[in-house]
Amino acid sequence: MTQRIVLFASGSGSNAARIADYFEAVEGVEIVALFSNRKKAAVLERPQFKEVPTVVFNKVYFNSSAFVQALEGFQPDLIVLAGFLWKLPPLLVSKFPQKIINIHPSLLPKYGGKGMYGMHVHQAVYKKKETETGISIHYVNEHYDEGQLIFQAKTALTTEDTPESIAQKIHSLEHEHFPKVIAQLLR
Ligand code: GRF
């Protein structure tokens, strides 16, 4: 039986693309939909998603039960947030227990919570002169970055690092591990 992944992404989508590439070569796993809250998001233009149904939505629809139904219609085995920033409504979370995961670019619980995304995280890590940072993959609940941790990976930082180099290190960690962690969860 095919296992069905629904992706949520609203940014550049490098992680989403990486996940799509990885599972292209895996039999029995399919990306069945790409959800995005930004109609101009670069992820929607990526070649990997040419044949994938996309759903672009606004906040009103996102918070409606019709949205939950539309998502249920795709019969997801796993819902993967890869660069998606909105907090999920409780109804949505309750419909998919232990089936929604997110990736966060820090070692949670450090540098998580509202406003902690993208370069804001890397700048904060840089200012604190951390000697390491990393990624966290976690289940999603109705609070920002607080669901149960599934996986973390670390990378060392030196005094030479800048917020930009930290971002690069984090992206390579994400690209390396996120698809593999998803594959393990689907087993
Ligand atoms: C990643 O750094 C991820 O940790 C965070 O959003 C970023 C998405 O990057 N949740 P991309 O759009 O996949 O390149």
Side-chain angles (χ1 to χ4, degrees), residues 11-15 83 103-105 171 174:
S12 96
S14 70
N15 278 284
I103 188 160
H104 185 82
H171 259 112
E174 293 183 331

Side-chain angles (χ1 to χ4, degrees), residues 62-73:
F62 181 57
N63 282 290
S64 69
S65 53
F67 183 85
V68 176
Q69 276 165 24
L71 190 50
E72 280 178 318

Side-chain angles (χ1 to χ4, degrees), residues 164-177:
E164 289 71 27
S165 71
I166 297 174
Q168 272 177 16
K169 285 180 173 180
I170 290 295
H171 259 112
S172 351
L173 272 189
E174 293 183 331
H175 296 163
E176 181 189 349
H177 293 289

